[in-house]
Amino acid sequence: MALSSGDRSTAADLAALADLLAGPLLPAARGLLGCELHAGGVTVRITEVEAYAGSGGDPASHAHRGRTPRNTVMFGPAGYAYVYFTYGMHWCVNVVTGVEGEASAVLLRAGEVVDGLTTARERRPAIRRDVDLARGPARLCSALGIDREAYGAHLLGDGPVRLRPPARPVRPETVVAGPRVGVTGAHDLPWRFWLDGDPTVSAYRRHVPRIRR
């Protein structure tokens, strides 16, 4: 795997991360906490993620009903970006995981801007607190400048969007699990993971079904 001259990760570090992502979904999701995502001159340390199985019968997954032009990258191989547009205004980015041919991905829900703070602020001028710059999946993409161009990007290579292992290890006891946010199916599955007490973690809002009149 090619590394940029300023990348502190070693080939062994990236190989270990690749193995983690190619393994079972939930350990991969937990292992993404503390990793760093680099894009658009900004680096975000990931503090909250959410796992989606797809091929395993997860009704909240975009791959629940099979392969489509939109979700095809979710079917692997692992280590690529699945980017989608939501609510007609926001981009969200996922890391593809698991065995090739069986769709699964991990939504990056929130993070801490650890480099490129000025650029992130310019992209999010309405945000008053730095801890809120990437607090939520849409804000995270906005701070990083991620849009449709990142769809299918190889995150473990030396491209414009790069995922790297944690700069410092994450202690297992600091990882908390809970229900997913804003999904209509299987919303009580404890497949959202976050770093306990981190101020950049997004607020939890339980899904409330709409009443049809």
Side-chain angles (χ1 to χ4, degrees):
M1 298 178 183
L3 300 179
S4 63
S5 58
D7 199 323
R8 60 175 170 260
S9 302
T10 66
D13 292 333
L14 285 178
L17 181 55
D19 288 343
L20 173 72
L21 297 179
L25 171 62
L26 298 188
R30 295 175 68 98
L32 281 167
L33 292 173
C35 287
E36 294 182 350
L37 189 65
H38 309 259
V42 174
T43 301
V44 166
R45 173 177 171 263
I46 300 166
T47 60
E48 181 186 7
V49 300
E50 205 164 64
Y52 290 89
S55 299
D58 181 356
S61 171
H62 289 177
H64 175 54
R65 300 186 184 280
R67 190 188 298 260
T68 68
R70 180 197 195 198
N71 68 27
T72 186
V73 73
M74 285 184 68
F75 288 80
Y80 286 76
Y82 169 49
V83 179
Y84 65 87
F85 199 51
T86 184
Y87 297 116
M89 64 180 73
H90 300 306
W91 296 101
C92 296
V93 61
N94 300 251
V95 178
V96 175
T97 65
V99 179
E100 187 168 2
E102 298 181 7
S104 65
V106 177
L107 173 66
L108 304 185
R109 282 201 53 86
E112 173 194 8
V113 177
V114 294
D115 193 31
L117 190 57
T118 298
T119 301
R121 287 171 178 162
E122 290 172 351
R123 289 180 177 142
R124 302 291 302 167
I127 301 299
R128 296 183 177 181
R129 304 190 308 161
D130 290 346
V131 295
D132 293 328
L133 286 169
R135 189 171 182 249
R139 287 182 176 183
L140 183 145
C141 279
S142 181
L144 290 162
I146 288 177
D147 58 19
R148 72 171 75 247
E149 296 300 318
Y151 181 95
H154 182 215
L155 300 175
L156 303 183
D158 199 28
V161 185
R162 305 184 303 281
L163 180 70
R164 294 297 182 259
R168 57 184 185 276
V170 170
R171 301 195 312 276
E173 65 270 19
T174 66
V175 177
V176 183
R180 296 184 293 191
V181 178
V183 294
T184 57
H187 51 269
D188 287 329
L189 278 179
W191 284 10
R192 182 171 60 97
F193 302 95
W194 67 93
L195 298 179
D196 192 25
D198 194 292
T200 65
V201 173
S202 63
Y204 173 68
R205 295 180 179 85
R206 192 180 190 279
H207 169 70
V208 179
R210 293 182 179 180
I211 299 176
R212 296 184 177 180
R213 299 182 184 276

